[in-house]
Amino acid sequence: MGPVLKVLGRVGVVVLGLAIVAVWLVLRLKGVPVPVLVTYGLVLTGLGCGLLWPRALGGRARRRTPAFFGVAAGLGTLGLYLAVVYHVTDLPVLLALAAGACLAGAVVAVLRGRRSADGRPARQARRAFLMGGAGLVLGTASGLSGGLVDRQRRASMARGERERQAAVRAPGARRRITDGAVRVFPIHTGDTIVTYGQFYGGLDGWEGLNGYVRTLVDKAQIAVPVHAYLIDHPRHGLMLVDTGVNWEQAHDHDGYYGLTSRLLTERDEYRMTAGQDLRVRLARLGYAAEEITTVFLTHVHDDHAGGLRYLPRATVVLDRRDWEHGVLYPHSFGLVKENLSFPAFDSGAFGPFPGSQDHFGDSSVILLPTPGHSPGHMCVLLRLDSGGVLFMGDTLYTLPHLATDQVRQMTIGGQDTVRQIEAARRVQRLLASDPGVVPLFAHDNTRYQFDLVASAFADGAPGEAGLRELRRGMESVLTSDWRLRPGHAPRFVAPASGTGLGKVAFG
């Protein structure tokens, strides 16, 4: 048995170490100060050692050490949970768990009392009475708190609705243009907070598992936009490419997501004003969410799929591989999961792409597989009256990312990185072969998006002149062999105060 116990002990050390590292990383993601993390890690280590090797402790220490560290670890875990993970919707559950524990304790006290003598039954009976009473009180509080929490959340959502209605009525709204032209409107649906390295560090070690670990501990963060695109097509109706984030994600993040998602995401990962809500933006352009008939989802990540909950009548077109193997958040897909359409990509080669899908059969919308960022990521090519636009999704984040040998976002690693770079090369070749096509990005935080794209698509129809201006903007940043021109390399600018969000400068 000796060798077996030694092996089990070593396995225990590895498991314990991995568990402590995982907890440390999660709490670091949540912004817990390093001194607190160190103390908590030492307590967990002490508890683990006491449980794994009790024989190494002699006499009283064998009993007291696990108890001491166990109480400290329990209180520390509860305190950290309440400080960084707790949400008001957890209150009824916590009270119910406490009630269950008290009632279980009362049952144990009754059983012990029956087996005891010499006056101990009376003490056990009192203990059972007190614990049972506490359990009933806590159980009642759990039931009552459920209604209070529900009312509090409804009141919060009602305040949000009033803000959105005020944003819809604000001056500057426009009427729908109905002249038969194909129109595209960029819709800025708020911002997402990411680490600078996640966005621009793909060539500096931000890849695979190492990249994901660094996103947990690196606090050099920036805000980047989240764009969806509305298409008003004279033959095919109203369509969206991606849907951005929704109001609940930005304003009730912890209530919207479950406990696991709360542990692995930051509470402020999205931000949105009332005027950036998808429903508000559509209304101010003269449209309604209920009119959207088709959504082309480049991939299933939640910053692209959050707005689906406002579009229950739309057919959602996405690659089956993403639906079956992508990082899927069911909160956003609950209302549309019966309205999904999976392209077969059987329309033959399209330029540098060996497979494509002519969605409507008239070459107006071509779906192009670009896996890598997710298993079934795809780009969408839309033909305009005077050219075309290529919706990039997250194949490439920004215009400078087209210089993929110089600027690269974090990639998944292994073959997924290879696939993503290959997809980027295909995009380069497609853009080079057709000067009438311009790229539109989901997260571009450069002048290209906020000045050139916003100006060209101000009324939805850029025309030949607008597309030429966008191509000139591309050529001012990128050479013909997809290298950055001087003055366009990104760099992180730390916040002046040393805390908060940084900025991206180009030079």
Side-chain angles (χ1 to χ4, degrees):
M1 289 295 292
V4 174
L5 291 176
K6 287 183 179 180
V7 171
L8 291 176
R10 290 170 181 170
V11 171
V13 171
V14 173
V15 172
L16 175 63
L18 291 175
I20 292 174
V21 169
V23 170
W24 194 92
L25 288 173
V26 168
L27 293 176
R28 180 59 180 156
L29 168 69
K30 308 300 286 187
V32 176
V34 172
V36 175
L37 287 178
V38 171
T39 303
Y40 184 60
L42 291 174
V43 169
L44 291 181
T45 302
L47 175 61
C49 292
L51 294 175
L52 288 172
W53 301 287
R55 294 184 180 180
L57 305 171
R60 294 180 179 179
R62 181 181 301 181
R63 298 189 299 272
R64 292 181 177 180
T65 298
F68 172 80
F69 283 109
V71 171
L75 292 175
T77 300
L78 179 62
L80 288 169
Y81 163 75
L82 293 174
V84 302
V85 182
Y86 171 78
H87 185 261
V88 67
T89 53
D90 295 343
L91 182 60
V93 177
L94 293 176
L95 290 173
L97 290 174
C102 288
L103 293 175
V107 171
V108 171
V110 170
L111 295 177
R112 284 182 174 179
R114 289 179 178 177
R115 299 175 181 176
S116 302
D118 301 330
R120 294 183 65 186
R123 290 199 301 272
Q124 295 294 344
R126 287 194 298 270
R127 180 176 298 174
F129 176 79
L130 291 173
M131 297 191 73
L136 292 175
V137 170
L138 289 169
T140 302
S142 175
L144 294 174
S145 67
L148 293 173
V149 168
D150 186 58
R151 286 194 292 274
Q152 186 267 342
R153 293 197 71 199
R154 287 203 304 267
S156 174
M157 300 313 296
R159 287 193 298 272
E161 180 61 25
R162 289 193 294 271
E163 292 179 21
R164 291 191 295 273
Q165 290 301 321
V168 171
R169 295 191 297 268
R174 61 189 304 165
R175 293 182 178 179
R176 185 186 306 194
I177 304 172
T178 55
D179 59 358
V182 179
R183 294 185 183 275
V184 176
F185 296 97
I187 298 180
H188 182 189
T189 67
D191 299 328
T192 181
I193 310 303
V194 299
T195 55
Y196 174 83
Q198 178 184 349
F199 206 70
Y200 285 112
L203 295 172
D204 298 320
W206 290 72
E207 181 179 346
L209 179 61
N210 178 58
Y212 284 114
V213 171
R214 292 176 73 172
T215 64
L216 296 178
V217 300
D218 194 307
K219 294 302 175 182
Q221 295 180 314
I222 58 175
V224 297
V226 180
H227 276 92
Y229 291 90
L230 173 67
I231 302 170
D232 185 349
H233 201 284
R235 295 192 304 278
H236 305 305
L238 297 182
M239 302 174 281
L240 280 171
V241 176
D242 292 335
T243 64
V245 298
N246 64 52
W247 182 264
E248 290 85 352
Q249 286 172 276
H251 295 274
D252 186 27
H253 181 274
D254 285 0
Y256 183 74
Y257 290 105
L259 177 62
T260 302
S261 295
R262 275 190 265 147
L263 281 170
L264 299 177
T265 59
E266 293 196 63
R267 190 165 279 164
D268 60 351
E269 67 173 323
Y270 301 117
R271 64 185 188 185
M272 174 194 293
T273 66
Q276 293 171 335
D277 183 275
L278 177 65
R279 295 160 294 179
V280 173
R281 295 289 292 117
L282 290 173
R284 291 185 63 78
L285 289 169
Y287 303 93
E290 295 77 12
E291 297 179 273
I292 304 298
T293 59
T294 306
V295 174
F296 297 105
L297 204 63
T298 61
H299 61 299
V300 296
H301 292 172
D302 224 21
D303 55 329
H304 295 253
L308 288 175
R309 63 187 296 109
Y310 307 139
L311 310 166
R313 300 179 184 175
T315 297
V316 181
V317 182
L318 73 160
D319 192 313
R320 184 183 293 274
R321 291 170 296 180
D322 240 37
W323 177 251
E324 295 177 348
H325 306 294
V327 180
L328 183 69
Y329 296 87
H331 319 281
S332 299
F333 285 88
L335 297 177
V336 300
K337 59 184 178 181
E338 303 301 326
N339 304 341
L340 304 180
S341 174
F342 302 113
F345 296 106
D346 57 2
S347 299
F350 187 90
F353 290 88
S356 67
Q357 183 70 53
D358 184 350
H359 183 73
F360 293 109
D362 59 2
S363 300
S364 60
V365 175
I366 306 295
L367 308 180
L368 302 169
T370 52
H373 180 77
S374 66
H377 192 288
M378 67 180 186
C379 290
V380 181
L381 177 65
L382 171 71
R383 288 298 177 188
L384 303 176
D385 300 331
S386 54
V389 291
L390 182 65
F391 300 100
M392 303 292 294
D394 282 359
T395 300
L396 298 166
Y397 284 159
T398 71
L399 183 66
H401 281 87
L402 274 165
T404 189
D405 292 328
Q406 294 173 284
V407 179
R408 190 176 299 174
Q409 64 226 51
M410 188 180 81
T411 56
I412 296 176
Q415 284 302 306
D416 288 308
T417 295
V418 173
R419 293 186 188 98
Q420 188 164 356
I421 300 308
E422 182 181 6
R425 305 285 190 213
R426 297 186 194 280
V427 166
Q428 291 173 343
R429 294 199 294 273
L430 176 63
L431 293 173
S433 67
D434 191 343
V437 174
V438 298
L440 294 181
F441 301 89
H443 300 296
D444 198 318
N445 60 343
T446 72
R447 174 180 172 269
Y448 177 80
Q449 180 74 34
F450 286 110
D451 290 345
L452 300 182
V453 171
S455 175
F457 288 90
D459 67 353
E464 291 184 14
L467 296 179
R468 282 198 302 270
E469 185 64 26
L470 286 171
R471 291 293 296 214
R472 281 195 290 269
M474 284 179 54
E475 292 164 2
S476 70
V477 175
L478 300 158
T479 64
S480 60
D481 58 349
W482 306 105
R483 304 286 296 178
L484 286 178
R485 296 187 186 278
H488 295 283
R491 60 182 174 84
F492 178 72
V493 179
S497 62
T499 59
L501 297 178
K503 295 183 181 299
V504 180
F506 297 88

